[in-house]
Structures are given as C-alpha cells and as structure tokens.
Amino acid sequence: MRILHTADWHLGKSLEGYSRMDEQELFLNDFIKIVEENQVDLIVIAGDVYDSPNPPAKAEKMFYDTLKRLSAKGERLTLVIAGNHDNPERLVAAGPLARDHGIIMVGTPKTVVAEGEYGNHQVVASGEGYVEVAIKGEKAVILTVPYPSERRLNEVLYDAMAEEEEKLKSYGERINLLFTNLSERFREDTINLVVSHLFAMGSEEAGSERSIQLGGSFIVDGSCFPENAQYMALGHIHKPQIVPGTDRRARYAGSPLHYNKKEINFTKKCILVDLQPQQECSIKEIDFKVYKPIEVWKCESIEAALERCEANQDRECWVYIEVSTDRYIREDEIKRMRSIKKDILEISPIITGMEAEPTLNSITERSFEDIFKEFYLKERKVEPQQEIIDFLLSILQEEEEDNETHQA
C-alpha cells in the first residue's frame, strides 16, 4: 500500500494581512500531480486543513475541489483528521457526501466512522479512535486521533478509568494510555498506522504554530506512540522532521508553504510511504515548489534598501526589510520603497547611536504631546501627523472637562 502523508495546509491563512490563497492554489495543483505521478493508494491529511474554525468560502471551495480531484471518482482513498485550527463539526459536515468520493473525515478522538463503501474501497470496521480500511485487496488499521485537547482526551478516557488516581495522570500519560488501548486493534495481517495532530517532545517549533498548544501540559513524549505501529503520520509542527525515539517511524510532514519568516530556512515537503504487513516501511520525501518566497533583506543604509527594491521590483517575493541607520526612516522614504517593490511586509530600522532610554524624572518634566510624539515615532518609525495629535489632545481635553463637571 502506498501512502502520501501531508498536514497543516492552513487554507485561508494570511501573512501580515496579505492573502496566501493564490500560492495555496498552486500548491494544491502540484499536490494533485504528485499523487497522480506516484500512484498513491491512500492520502493522509493530518490536521489543520484550515487556518481558522471559520474559514473563508474560497478556502473551503479550494479544499473540496481538491478532494474531488484527488479522489479520481473514488479510485483513491483520502483520510482527513481535524487539527487545533479546524472546527471538527464543520470539517466533517460534508462527510456523507464525501463518502461517495472515497473520503473519510474524522473530527474528534470520539468520532466513529460509518462502515461501508467509500468510493471503490471499504471501511470494514471502526470505533472511537480507529478505522480499518480495505484498499485493492489490502487492509490497514489506522488509529485516528485528531487534535486531543484536554477536554476531548478526558471524554475518551474517563469511562475507562476505574481509579481516581488515573484521572490525575499527566497529559502525556493519558495520550500513552489512549494509544495503548487503541493499538490492541492492530493485527499481523494488516498494515498498522497512526494518524494524529499533537506536539511530540523533541520536535522543533517552526515559528507559526500558535504557542497555546505548545505549553508543557500539551507536550507528549515520543515513547507514547505504539511500538507496533509501522508508521505514524503527524501534524501540528510546520517543520518536516522525525520524532526522536521512534526509530524514524513517527514524522511530521510540515506545512506546504513558508507561513512565517522563521520557516524560510528549511524545505517544505510531503512524505511518500510504502507499506506491507509486518515489514519496515520505505520512506521517500518529496519537496514542494516555492512560488513566492519570504525574504529578509538586511540593508546597510536607506539608500541601499532603495537600490535593492529597484533591483528586485519584478521578482515575486514577500519581503521584510531591516535597515541599519542612524535616524528613523521618513514617511516619504517608506512610501518610495513600497511604490517600487510591492509585497513589502515590514520596514524595520536598526537604529545605531541612539541616546539611552529617558528616565522617569525626564518623562515627568515633559509635555504629554512630546511624550506621545516620541512613542509614536519609536513604534511606527514615522512622525505622527498633526491631525492625529490634535485628535488625541481633543479627547483628553473632553475627559478633563467631564471630570471637572462631575466633581462640581
């Protein structure tokens, strides 16, 4: 059985307010070609299909159009689980219709997939957290654990916990208990897989995962995964990598695009896996094409930054500009850079030779207007317009007058 593992598409995601959906559409077309060229039997999407629980209509259309094309009228089977960015109910809402195209949707660890025909294939058995599929005469048991929040994890396990002490176990221990229980479904005559969306200890963050899911209580150890799983397809971390301590069997496919400037130093990819019962898997990584890279330009002066904008004005790239300068960049200089080079995301001066931060005494001796001007310049890198200053001072004046009226 040939499996293609991908994750963290984050359809609908933006970068500093700019849409990435044109790039995502190009990626999806490339992904379909990869599936077709490699004659994939099962596609696994390990969570975070969308970037938010309420994705744009265009993002949903892109996803469903892609699933339909991947299906090839039911010739291929696709398994999709929800990540922490997805709304589980919304993701699986199209499940009954998707079933005809060979698409299995799993929203939570408690989801029970309906048995029966899925396109030209079958779900021969299922229950909370697992599904057994038959594809072209081969069978695979897949443990499906979409993003297991504390609440969802407790819903799955508490009924099976006889002692109160068990309920107090750490998040990682409970994940281990869940996988231990589910792995009893594995057999010697089946291909045995795990598909999940979580953060495993030792994995390197890439920069655009939301930190609330990476706190200590949400981290698991690589030893929590079943020993008898042949391959573990994971989502949540945007950098492709192997989970330490899993004999290279547990992997993050990573996101298909660079979604943050911290991600630009590693290649984006998907993972092709060939499997047979009781055999070690064969793994091949397939790189994705970057259509519009994120770049950080470090310029020695404002003039050098302008020259670089002119030299690259026709290139397709997102740009962060860092300029070494002994003064703040004027608004007209910023406008000129942006007029020459489109898709500049941020222009940051690296100020040299600036005076030390003002003391408390020096602040109290100055007017509110002067303090505001300095703060605005420091934060926005430009002088505030007089209209902004006048508006702010008028609000303060109104508040003072109101206070005097109440006191009278």
Side-chain angles (χ1 to χ4, degrees), residues 287-306:
D287 294 348
F288 289 131
K289 183 177 179 180
V290 178
Y291 286 94
K292 192 170 182 177
I294 299 172
E295 298 182 358
V296 180
W297 295 354
K298 297 182 184 293
C299 304
E300 294 302 316
S301 66
I302 295 170
E303 292 73 21
L306 286 164

Side-chain angles (χ1 to χ4, degrees), residues 21-204:
M21 283 196 276
D22 288 346
E23 296 167 79
Q24 290 174 333
E25 198 152 21
L26 292 170
F27 145 69
L28 292 172
N29 288 331
D30 287 348
F31 186 74
I32 291 166
K33 290 177 184 176
I34 291 170
V35 168
E36 293 173 345
E37 290 171 359
N38 289 278
Q39 299 180 328
V40 172
D41 300 309
L42 172 64
I43 302 152
V44 172
I45 306 175
D48 280 355
V49 171
Y50 302 115
D51 190 55
S52 73
N54 186 28
K58 182 179 178 180
E60 287 192 300
K61 185 177 187 303
M62 286 165 54
F63 179 52
Y64 290 124
D65 286 349
T66 300
L67 288 181
K68 186 176 179 180
R69 292 171 65 190
L70 289 172
S71 162
K73 297 182 180 180
E75 283 298 316
R76 294 188 198 91
L77 198 63
T78 301
L79 172 65
V80 185
I81 67 167
N84 55 296
H85 285 242
D86 300 312
N87 180 329
E89 290 75 22
R90 184 165 185 163
L91 184 68
V92 304
L97 292 175
R99 177 173 173 172
D100 293 338
H101 293 279
I103 300 160
I104 302 171
M105 305 278 205
V106 186
T108 73
K110 284 183 71 69
T111 298
V112 178
V113 174
E115 297 177 11
E117 293 184 358
Y118 283 73
N120 297 341
H121 311 288
Q122 281 192 320
V123 171
V124 296
S126 66
E128 289 186 7
Y130 79 94
V131 61
E132 182 178 340
V133 299
I135 303 174
K136 298 177 181 178
E138 292 188 282
K139 290 184 178 179
V141 173
I142 310 170
L143 308 188
T144 55
V145 182
Y147 175 62
S149 65
E150 290 271 8
R151 177 179 59 81
R152 293 173 190 165
L153 190 56
N154 292 342
E155 287 175 354
V156 174
L157 292 177
Y158 274 8
D159 290 342
M161 292 180 179
E163 301 296 332
E164 186 66 24
E165 290 78 9
E166 289 188 82
K167 298 181 183 181
L168 301 177
K169 287 184 177 180
S170 72
Y171 180 83
E173 289 175 316
R174 282 177 284 155
I175 289 286
N176 179 260
L177 176 61
L178 174 62
F179 279 126
T180 298
N181 293 339
L182 290 174
S183 65
E184 294 177 0
R185 300 287 175 178
F186 287 155
R187 301 198 309 270
E188 292 185 355
D189 65 329
T190 59
I191 291 166
N192 299 320
L193 303 170
V194 171
V195 180
S196 190
H197 190 93
L198 41 68
F199 185 76
M201 186 177 295
S203 303
E204 296 179 40

Side-chain angles (χ1 to χ4, degrees), residues 136-376:
K136 298 177 181 178
E138 292 188 282
K139 290 184 178 179
V141 173
I142 310 170
L143 308 188
T144 55
V145 182
Y147 175 62
S149 65
E150 290 271 8
R151 177 179 59 81
R152 293 173 190 165
L153 190 56
N154 292 342
E155 287 175 354
V156 174
L157 292 177
Y158 274 8
D159 290 342
M161 292 180 179
E163 301 296 332
E164 186 66 24
E165 290 78 9
E166 289 188 82
K167 298 181 183 181
L168 301 177
K169 287 184 177 180
S170 72
Y171 180 83
E173 289 175 316
R174 282 177 284 155
I175 289 286
N176 179 260
L177 176 61
L178 174 62
F179 279 126
T180 298
N181 293 339
L182 290 174
S183 65
E184 294 177 0
R185 300 287 175 178
F186 287 155
R187 301 198 309 270
E188 292 185 355
D189 65 329
T190 59
I191 291 166
N192 299 320
L193 303 170
V194 171
V195 180
S196 190
H197 190 93
L198 41 68
F199 185 76
M201 186 177 295
S203 303
E204 296 179 40
E205 299 173 43
S208 58
E209 304 91 351
R210 292 179 184 169
S211 60
I212 191 171
Q213 281 80 34
L214 304 182
S217 64
F218 293 91
I219 296 176
V220 301
D221 189 276
S223 63
C224 77
F225 297 113
E227 287 286 339
N228 50 348
Q230 293 171 273
Y231 183 78
M232 288 155 275
L234 305 178
H236 189 41
I237 305 302
H238 289 189
K239 179 179 180 179
Q241 59 194 281
I242 300 165
V243 178
T246 62
D247 296 326
R248 305 174 67 85
R249 294 174 298 125
R251 295 181 180 237
Y252 287 97
S255 60
L257 270 65
H258 295 115
Y259 284 127
N260 183 286
K261 62 183 176 182
K262 294 180 181 179
E263 300 180 22
I264 63 179
N265 293 322
F266 48 86
T267 304
K268 297 297 188 172
K269 58 190 67 178
C270 56
I271 303 172
L272 192 69
V273 187
D274 285 306
L275 286 153
Q276 297 180 40
Q278 301 188 62
Q279 300 293 321
E280 287 189 11
C281 58
S282 172
I283 296 173
K284 176 184 177 183
E285 296 179 344
I286 301 175
D287 294 348
F288 289 131
K289 183 177 179 180
V290 178
Y291 286 94
K292 192 170 182 177
I294 299 172
E295 298 182 358
V296 180
W297 295 354
K298 297 182 184 293
C299 304
E300 294 302 316
S301 66
I302 295 170
E303 292 73 21
L306 286 164
E307 289 175 4
R308 190 157 184 182
C309 287
E310 290 173 352
N312 292 274
Q313 60 183 324
D314 297 325
R315 285 185 59 238
E316 282 288 323
C317 57
W318 302 106
V319 181
Y320 290 88
I321 301 180
E322 297 178 1
V323 186
S324 296
T325 175
D326 57 1
R327 63 173 176 84
Y328 287 105
I329 306 172
R330 298 195 308 268
E331 187 171 358
D332 64 295
E333 292 167 331
I334 291 174
K335 286 182 178 178
R336 188 178 170 195
M337 289 182 202
R338 291 187 180 277
S339 67
I340 296 170
K341 172 61 183 162
K342 65 177 183 177
D343 300 328
I344 292 177
L345 302 171
E346 185 178 80
I347 301 172
S348 303
I350 309 300
I351 306 297
T352 58
M354 291 293 287
E355 295 181 1
E357 291 292 322
T359 64
L360 179 60
N361 288 337
S362 67
I363 290 175
T364 57
E365 292 170 359
R366 298 162 61 198
S367 69
F368 175 82
E369 182 175 341
D370 288 341
I371 294 171
F372 172 72
K373 284 181 178 179
E374 183 175 322
F375 173 78
Y376 192 95

